[in-house]
Amino acid sequence: MADKEPTLKEWKRRALKAEAEVEFIQNVRSLEAQQELTSARERAAQKVALDEIREVLQWAQEQKT
């Protein structure tokens, strides 16, 4: 015996649940993308700072000689 077809109310409930799940996934992905951008900006700033520190140390070494 085949399962009975879901009622209109059940279809609507399933659709609402699916929409909520999609919205949740989109929100999670958006947050992850924002975190990636923040992390990339922080790494870039740290690289610039490290390069500047290296330049200063090199300059200081040159001043000793």
Side-chain angles (χ1 to χ4, degrees), residues 46-65:
Q46 290 168 349
K47 182 184 180 314
V48 169
L50 188 56
D51 289 345
E52 290 177 357
I53 291 168
R54 286 182 178 137
E55 285 181 26
V56 168
L57 290 174
Q58 184 178 357
W59 176 84
Q61 285 287 21
E62 290 170 358
Q63 298 306 307
K64 283 183 174 180
T65 59

Side-chain angles (χ1 to χ4, degrees), residues 2-63:
D3 292 333
K4 69 174 191 161
E5 184 70 22
T7 64
L8 181 59
K9 190 174 185 178
E10 290 171 329
W11 279 118
K12 287 180 180 179
R13 190 177 306 122
R14 287 180 184 185
L16 288 172
K17 183 179 178 187
E19 286 176 1
E21 289 174 359
V22 166
E23 185 177 351
F24 173 77
I25 291 168
Q26 287 173 334
N27 288 338
V28 168
R29 288 186 177 166
S30 176
L31 179 61
E32 288 173 342
Q34 290 172 355
Q35 289 173 336
E36 269 188 58
L37 285 173
T38 298
S39 180
R41 285 186 195 107
E42 289 172 351
R43 285 192 308 270
Q46 290 168 349
K47 182 184 180 314
V48 169
L50 188 56
D51 289 345
E52 290 177 357
I53 291 168
R54 286 182 178 137
E55 285 181 26
V56 168
L57 290 174
Q58 184 178 357
W59 176 84
Q61 285 287 21
E62 290 170 358
Q63 298 306 307

